[in-house]
Amino acid sequence: MIKNYDDIVESILLRKPFAFTRWGDGEWLNIAKAPGGNCDGNLYYHDLGEALEEIVSTKQEYVIGAQDLAHNLPSSVHKYPQQDWIDADIFHKASIGGRMYLLAEALEDEHVVYIGNKDLKELPFINEFIEIPSSNIWKEKDDLLRRVQSTIEKDIHKLYLFSAGMATNVFIDKLWKLDSTQTYIDVGSVFDPYVGKHTRSYHKHLKL
């Protein structure tokens, strides 16, 4: 069972398919039908919130991570005790701790499909790239899912990395239930500083 960063790296090395989604303020604010949007320019959509709540209200057969409770809305995680929550920020903490090389090395022998904005295309471990807008991909959700599904090949394991905002959790949930022989990981903004983008406060302090 995956519980931490090292478990994820090991599962990749062993090519054991899994899915990992991350839940933080943006997801909870969508569920709460909050107005406005997050720091990345992604709007809170009511139908996205409903889709997210449906997912988190049901025990899932994949890995679900919640940010440290100090960064979550009051009781947002505790309302859904049926999930086996792990730390959602394991990649960010690995980056801060200088341990991202372990993930990078594990990805070298994988067929990686990356879903993200155009700046991330330059990452060296990518085999296929699906470009999305820098914000509000939820408006194009059906088209994106079709594009991702078109890359899935029978009897070929691929590793899908998502930097697609709050909608990522819905995309991964649908894809895992469509084909659980692949691996789907929400990596969020962790690779931004490696392409020269500082989108989080900790990014500018990293030693790359």
Side-chain angles (χ1 to χ4, degrees), residues 11 13-14 18 25 31 35 38 63-64 68 76-77 88 97-98 113 133 142 146 158 164 168 172 181 197-198 204 208:
S11 293
L13 289 170
L14 295 175
F18 68 94
D25 283 358
I31 290 173
N38 70 1
V63 188
I64 293 186
D68 292 340
S76 53
V77 174
V113 184
D142 294 333
R146 281 193 295 269
K158 296 183 180 182
T168 291
I172 290 180
T181 67
K197 296 179 64 179
H198 294 164
K204 59 186 177 183
L208 304 179

Side-chain angles (χ1 to χ4, degrees), residues 5-208:
Y5 177 71
D6 291 329
D7 291 341
I8 283 183
V9 171
E10 181 179 16
S11 293
I12 292 173
L13 289 170
L14 295 175
R15 294 193 175 178
K16 294 171 60 176
F18 68 94
F20 174 46
T21 61
R22 301 164 53 254
W23 298 72
D25 283 358
E27 287 73 24
W28 306 129
L29 287 165
N30 265 288
I31 290 173
K33 293 183 167 55
N38 70 1
C39 63
D40 296 318
N42 289 297
L43 298 176
Y44 301 134
Y45 293 100
H46 287 185
D47 58 338
L48 172 56
E50 291 166 359
L52 290 168
E53 185 164 35
E54 182 177 352
I55 292 169
V56 80
S57 297
T58 305
K59 169 66 175 171
Q60 298 301 335
E61 299 303 319
Y62 54 83
V63 188
I64 293 186
Q67 287 180 336
D68 292 340
L69 294 182
H71 297 105
N72 277 289
L73 300 178
S75 302
S76 53
V77 174
H78 299 305
K79 286 171 62 177
Y80 305 98
Q82 69 274 14
Q83 307 300 342
D84 296 321
W85 297 105
I86 70 167
D87 184 3
D89 289 331
I90 53 178
F91 295 126
H92 300 293
K93 291 175 180 177
S95 186
I96 292 169
R99 303 184 72 233
M100 281 298 287
Y101 71 92
L102 295 171
L103 178 60
E105 290 175 354
L107 294 176
E108 288 179 358
D109 294 325
E110 284 290 331
H111 186 105
V112 176
V113 184
Y114 204 114
I115 298 90
N117 67 66
K118 61 182 181 180
D119 297 318
L120 294 161
K121 190 175 184 178
E122 303 306 315
L123 291 167
F125 50 75
I126 296 174
N127 300 101
E128 296 181 72
F129 189 77
I130 298 177
E131 184 177 330
I132 61 173
S134 58
S135 61
N136 298 317
I137 184 58
W138 183 246
K139 295 190 297 184
E140 304 173 22
K141 56 185 180 295
D142 294 333
D143 178 63
L144 176 62
L145 282 169
R146 281 193 295 269
R147 291 164 65 194
V148 176
Q149 288 176 36
S150 72
T151 68
I152 296 175
E153 301 179 57
K154 186 178 180 181
D155 299 325
I156 297 178
H157 175 261
K158 296 183 180 182
L159 192 153
Y160 291 80
L161 300 180
F162 284 80
S163 293
M166 300 171 290
T168 291
N169 293 0
V170 178
F171 299 146
I172 290 180
D173 181 78
K174 290 183 177 295
L175 290 164
W176 177 256
K177 289 167 181 172
L178 172 72
D179 188 340
S180 60
T181 67
Q182 312 296 325
T183 294
Y184 311 94
I185 306 175
D186 176 5
V187 293
S189 61
V190 74
F191 287 113
D192 283 0
Y194 299 89
V195 294
K197 296 179 64 179
H198 294 164
T199 57
R200 298 294 183 272
S201 59
Y202 79 89
H203 286 168
K204 59 186 177 183
H205 301 298
L206 294 177
K207 295 180 181 179
L208 304 179

